[in-house]
Amino acid sequence: MIRKSIACIFLLFSIIIFAQDGSPSPYSFYGIGEVRFKGTFENRAMGGVSVFSDSIHINLQNPASLAALKLTTFSIATSTSETRLITNTANELAKRSAIDYVMLAFPIGKFGTTVGLLPYSSVGYKINANTTGVNFREFTGTGGMNKFFMGVGYKLNKNFNVGLKIDYNFGRISTLNIFTQNGIQFATKELNTSDMTGANYNLGLMYASKLKNNLDIYGSMTFQPESNLKVTNSRNISTVFYSPTQGEIPQDSQNIAVDNKVIKLPSRLSVGGGVGKARKWALGTEIVFQQSNSFSNRFNDITNVSYKNGFMYSLGGFYIPKYTSFRTYFSRITYRGGMRFENTGLVIENKTITDTAVTLGFGLPVGTRFSNINIGVEYGRRGTKAANLIEERYINFTLSLSLSDIWFVKSKFN
């Protein structure tokens, strides 16, 4: 019954992921949208550090960690964000809610496998601009790219694990521009759509060993080669009439020929390490290098933007007072925290867009087994007010459910 329920939830969340808009950022207009965090909330609460692995939590950022799984784990997650958009002359608040992932992982001897779905990038802005007091412009963006993934990890020996994750990327981005001018009966409407498909893979290596003083040391490395994303573009220009009773009434419409593109998804290399004590505490750090100078936009006529190589540095860890405690519930809670700084590689009006955040999270045990609810908060700042750009101050609230149990064991009693 539980497994049938999980299958239904998996299908439901898959449908929701395809339909959602998970970003309020105007910067999501560029490239393929705002790239979402590609890991679990457990890692996100530690500033994005992914150098640790254990027997009940899925680590999407390094597939080698799957070899450490001892229990079958099903996980789903959702988040809510509030973003304050600040310019030199305006200040607005935007809110969004989104499904972040749905996935299943299970161990098979020395192997661990996972399959799931998550949104890779999101576009979700809406901007109104009254340019002269009589003219009106509206810019709207929706959609994004999703990622269906399958991964496997293998335990080479007591210290080393290796892993491979294969992703299939797909999605659609739509941007709509509407311009009305005083004294002119019809508005001008431009609709651009981009359908995206492609695949990539990620290789992982993890190391864990015990020191003489009962401390554990961790090492992690991942590499994602550059890959191609096929983008099929279309553009439609039309005139519309707005009626108070009938709404938008199309008039003339014309399809404009635009070039299709092949976007180079950048290669990524991550290296990290940490130290800790099993089931007690751990502290780690990680740096990610992204070769994004060859990245590009969906359309050739998007100007004043360029890309350079980016990087992200993160620091974080966790603490469990006493995981075996049965008297005090708070002693079994996993307390997580971290921070990160990212140079996104996006350059607009010669200004590099950076992203800085601090994170905090709690893993709340559920029942007498190994399932847990993970809640977290992330506060950050992205962008700049210089060169008439936008500074974003955001706070993200995250919630995930991780159900862990022993599957595929034949019953001894009927």
Side-chain angles (χ1 to χ4, degrees):
M1 181 64 183
I2 294 177
R3 298 176 194 179
K4 291 181 179 179
S5 300
I6 288 177
C8 293
I9 294 174
F10 199 108
L11 177 60
L12 174 61
F13 274 66
S14 300
I15 296 172
I16 296 174
I17 285 177
F18 296 159
Q20 67 181 341
D21 298 322
S23 172
S25 174
Y27 294 117
S28 65
F29 170 77
Y30 301 99
I32 57 173
E34 179 187 353
V35 177
R36 307 277 291 274
F37 181 72
K38 297 178 287 297
T40 63
F41 285 172
E42 293 93 317
N43 296 123
R44 186 172 180 175
M46 296 186 291
V49 172
S50 61
V51 301
F52 314 121
S53 62
D54 61 47
S55 60
I56 62 173
H57 292 107
I58 306 172
N59 181 348
L60 285 181
Q61 294 162 268
N62 191 332
S65 66
L66 296 169
L69 286 174
K70 301 300 182 184
L71 299 177
T72 298
T73 299
F74 173 78
S75 186
I76 57 177
T78 182
S79 62
T80 298
S81 68
E82 294 186 1
T83 303
R84 179 70 60 178
L85 306 173
I86 305 171
T87 68
N88 292 321
T89 58
N91 189 318
E92 296 291 340
L93 181 66
K95 298 182 179 181
R96 287 290 188 275
S97 295
I99 303 301
D100 286 77
Y101 55 79
V102 51
M103 56 189 173
L104 176 69
F106 50 90
I108 309 175
K110 290 186 176 183
F111 290 89
T113 63
T114 186
V115 61
L117 184 69
L118 57 81
Y120 180 83
S121 68
S122 296
V123 178
Y125 62 86
K126 184 174 184 179
I127 302 174
N128 298 325
N130 193 331
T131 56
T132 64
V134 292
N135 298 337
F136 178 79
R137 291 181 182 271
E138 182 176 275
F139 305 90
T140 305
T142 59
M145 189 168 77
N146 302 294
K147 183 186 294 289
F148 173 78
F149 61 87
M150 299 179 66
V152 60
Y154 176 72
K155 190 173 185 62
L156 288 176
N157 53 48
K158 67 177 184 178
N159 297 124
F160 286 96
N161 297 342
V162 295
L164 168 68
K165 185 165 70 75
I166 300 175
D167 305 318
Y168 175 70
N169 307 306
F170 62 98
R172 166 177 284 195
I173 294 176
S174 299
T175 59
L176 177 65
N177 306 327
I178 297 177
F179 176 64
T180 61
Q181 188 172 357
N182 188 42
I184 297 180
Q185 182 179 14
F186 301 115
T188 302
K189 178 179 177 180
E190 177 184 309
L191 175 63
N192 298 297
T193 61
S194 299
D195 292 300
M196 304 169 292
T197 57
N200 61 273
Y201 65 93
N202 185 16
L203 301 169
L205 174 68
M206 297 197 83
Y207 172 82
S209 180
K210 283 190 175 295
L211 301 177
K212 292 182 180 180
N213 55 1
N214 291 327
L215 289 180
D216 299 309
I217 57 172
Y218 307 93
S220 173
M221 179 181 294
T222 66
F223 177 67
Q224 177 179 299
E226 184 180 80
S227 60
N228 292 331
L229 183 68
K230 183 180 178 182
V231 183
T232 303
N233 291 318
S234 65
R235 175 173 291 168
N236 179 268
I237 304 292
S238 61
T239 56
V240 296
F241 176 75
Y242 287 96
S243 168
T245 57
Q246 302 181 53
E248 181 182 300
I249 304 175
Q251 303 297 310
D252 297 324
S253 178
Q254 181 178 359
N255 292 323
I256 306 298
V258 289
D259 294 332
N260 297 326
K261 293 196 67 175
V262 175
I263 293 179
K264 299 289 186 180
L265 293 182
S267 62
R268 289 169 58 91
L269 172 68
S270 73
V271 181
V275 63
K277 191 173 182 179
R279 296 178 292 275
K280 184 67 176 181
W281 66 272
L283 180 65
T285 184
E286 192 169 15
I287 186 167
V288 179
F289 303 96
Q290 180 166 285
Q291 199 78 15
S292 50
N293 59 349
S294 60
F295 194 60
S296 60
N297 294 298
R298 303 182 306 278
F299 290 87
N300 293 324
D301 54 2
I302 297 178
T303 59
N304 299 326
V305 60
S306 61
Y307 297 91
K308 66 179 184 179
N309 294 336
F311 68 90
M312 182 177 70
Y313 173 75
S314 56
L315 174 69
F318 68 86
Y319 173 70
I320 308 173
K322 188 177 181 181
Y323 82 99
T324 58
S325 176
F326 291 99
R327 293 184 178 181
T328 307
Y329 179 79
F330 291 99
S331 295
R332 294 188 287 123
I333 292 177
T334 302
Y335 300 86
R336 302 183 177 99
M339 58 181 294
R340 61 176 173 81
F341 172 80
E342 181 178 7
N343 180 329
T344 65
L346 176 64
V347 181
I348 305 175
E349 300 289 353
N350 294 319
K351 300 296 180 181
T352 299
I353 305 303
T354 61
D355 189 352
T356 305
V358 293
T359 58
L360 182 67
F362 306 92
L364 309 177
V366 177
T368 59
R369 290 185 177 271
F370 300 99
S371 299
N372 54 83
I373 295 174
N374 298 286
I375 59 176
V377 61
E378 178 183 50
Y379 176 76
R381 179 179 298 182
R382 177 173 48 240
T384 176
K385 292 186 289 184
N388 294 319
L389 298 178
I390 296 174
E391 179 183 289
E392 301 175 358
R393 299 180 184 178
Y394 59 85
I395 182 168
N396 297 323
F397 300 96
T398 60
L399 173 67
S400 71
L401 176 62
S402 181
L403 303 175
S404 300
D405 206 342
I406 300 175
W407 286 22
F408 312 115
V409 176
K410 186 176 181 179
S411 300
K412 294 184 179 180
F413 303 97
N414 293 325

